[in-house]
Amino acid sequence: MLRFLSAALLAAILFTVTFAVNLQAPLYDAYAAQNEAGATAVTIAFAAYAGGLMPTLLLLGGLSDRTGRRIPLALALVLGAVATAVLVQFPNWASLVAARILLGIGTGLATTAGTACMAEILGVTRTRNAALIVTSATSLGFGGGALATGLSLGLQGPTFLPYSYLVLLAAAPVLAAAALALPKADSPKPVTPLRLPVFPSGTWVFGAAMALAWSTTGMTIAVVPLQLAANGLGGWTGLVIFLAIFAGFLCQPVARRMSNGRALALGFVLIPLGFLVLLAGVWLTSLVLVLAGTCITSAASYGFTYLASLAEVSLRAPDDRARATAGLFVYAYCGFSLPVIASGALADTFGLLAAMALFAAAQISATGVIVLFWRKSLHSARSGTEQGLGII
């Protein structure tokens, strides 16, 4: 029972940390309007999240190995509350950039420590179950924050203090205190606080797939809402962002019953397919197609690809899970931020729809190249195994 309660508390902590990340997404255009900023500025603010997260992953991915898992988790919750309070006090584009940096740092601390902690609480024989709980909690959090703010704005009307912000500000301090009461399932090591991520052998394709998948999610969260607003569908932004992640959560039980390789292969098919459907919906001003495309890309990003990748790196680095998770998210957040910034710049020059079309073309090309190299590496590994066994 204690193990179950501890896992549930940790899941709630991870949900709340990631809930804060996209909490402000439906208000991006309102914050930008305070400074008369364009699409490039919006995407820069969105990607500032990676500006806080990437250094955390690169330099502090193994911090919890030294301090224990509880302190980074509590600190992540505090940073989420501070970021939200900054936006309440100063609702403008500059504050959005600062808040996103703080949220990135918090996510980097929580995802690395939380993934390792969940595996330690449940036991080494349940690594895949631990990965499922972590991906489920974070997927619901990433999507739930945007939906909560969207619903709050629908009830309250235009405001910079939606009810969702108040819920986060009330819950985060309580959970931060609770995080310090989690059982001490790990054994802190006398290692340097600055620890680089590790990239387990044979996991490059999972990292590349995460970059590709999360670049699509980044476009859905940062750029698609701008086009929806231009088409008079801005009120659906919260739901679109929620579906961009929640549909993937619903697919995770299916992905869990598949091998990591098969789940990854299905993700490669669904990623470009979903974005093409979404692009068609934006072009035709069809909300049904936009929602359908969003659900398909979500199934790939936060369903099959996310779970398969996190489970694979955990299995291949049983003694260094925190740093291996950091390595995976380095891939993921490069994809999550850089293409979005480029698309924002293209949108200001050529228009949002043209920028989305160019992204789709690049995405399809990148998918083809990655799959080709993956197949070659699998063929080489198979040939080497057969030679070693004396079959050929």
Side-chain angles (χ1 to χ4, degrees):
M1 180 60 73
L2 179 60
R3 179 179 293 183
F4 171 79
L5 292 176
S6 298
L9 174 58
L10 179 55
I13 290 169
L14 292 173
F15 169 83
T16 305
V17 170
T18 51
F19 180 86
V21 170
N22 290 322
L23 196 63
Q24 67 292 136
L27 288 168
Y28 280 171
D29 56 342
Y31 289 128
Q34 296 292 99
N35 297 84
E36 299 181 353
T40 302
V42 172
T43 55
I44 288 174
F46 169 80
Y49 170 72
L53 187 143
M54 290 296 285
T56 305
L57 294 178
L58 289 170
L59 300 176
L60 299 175
L63 176 65
S64 66
D65 291 334
R66 180 183 177 91
T67 66
R69 313 303 183 196
R70 298 176 293 181
I71 293 175
L73 290 169
L75 181 56
L77 287 161
V78 171
L79 288 172
V82 170
T84 304
V86 167
L87 285 173
V88 171
Q89 188 66 31
F90 307 103
N92 56 51
W93 179 81
S95 295
L96 179 61
V97 172
R100 295 286 293 171
I101 291 173
L102 293 176
L103 291 167
I105 296 171
T107 304
L109 293 172
T111 51
T112 52
T115 301
C117 186
M118 187 66 75
E120 290 158 354
I121 288 173
L122 295 181
V124 295
T125 60
R126 304 183 68 185
T127 299
R128 195 168 174 84
N129 288 337
L132 176 63
I133 295 173
V134 170
T135 55
S136 297
T138 53
S139 296
L140 285 173
F142 282 129
L147 180 63
T149 298
L151 293 174
S152 298
L153 294 174
L155 291 172
Q156 297 174 258
T159 178
F160 285 115
L161 184 58
Y163 296 139
S164 57
Y165 283 28
L166 298 176
V167 170
L168 185 281
L169 290 171
V174 175
L175 285 171
L180 298 176
L182 281 168
K184 194 174 181 180
D186 61 311
S187 298
K189 306 169 186 176
V191 295
T192 174
L194 297 178
R195 304 195 72 202
L196 296 175
V198 297
F199 302 90
S201 176
T203 61
W204 71 268
V205 69
F206 291 90
M210 282 285 284
L212 188 66
W214 282 29
S215 70
T216 307
T217 302
M219 287 291 291
T220 305
I221 294 174
V223 177
V224 172
L226 299 177
Q227 185 63 41
L228 289 176
N231 291 346
L233 300 172
W236 294 92
T237 294
L239 178 60
V240 168
I241 295 173
F242 176 70
L243 289 177
I245 300 165
F246 182 70
F249 160 75
L250 295 179
C251 293
Q252 287 177 6
V254 178
R256 181 172 175 268
R257 291 194 289 269
M258 303 171 68
S259 70
N260 292 337
R262 287 185 178 275
L264 192 70
L266 183 55
F268 278 130
V269 174
L270 295 178
I271 290 167
L273 173 63
F275 196 78
L276 285 175
V277 173
L278 191 155
L279 179 60
V282 170
W283 181 39
L284 300 171
T285 320
S286 170
L287 182 62
V288 172
L289 287 177
V290 169
L291 295 179
T294 298
C295 288
I296 295 170
T297 58
S298 174
S301 298
Y302 283 88
F304 301 102
T305 303
Y306 187 16
L307 180 59
S309 300
L310 192 59
E312 189 71 18
V313 298
S314 293
L315 288 170
R316 295 197 183 216
D319 299 322
D320 225 348
R321 286 194 181 93
R323 295 171 67 200
T325 303
L328 178 66
F329 282 114
V330 167
Y331 278 106
Y333 282 105
C334 281
F336 194 65
S337 56
L338 298 179
V340 172
I341 295 175
S343 296
L346 289 171
D348 279 339
T349 304
F350 302 106
L352 285 166
L353 190 58
M356 290 176 64
L358 289 170
F359 172 82
Q363 178 199 63
I364 292 170
S365 300
T367 301
V369 170
I370 293 170
V371 169
L372 179 62
F373 276 98
W374 185 33
R375 290 185 62 182
K376 285 185 176 181
S377 66
L378 289 175
H379 178 73
S380 297
R382 190 177 298 115
S383 298
T385 301
E386 291 174 347
Q387 288 178 346
L389 294 173
I391 295 174
I392 57 174

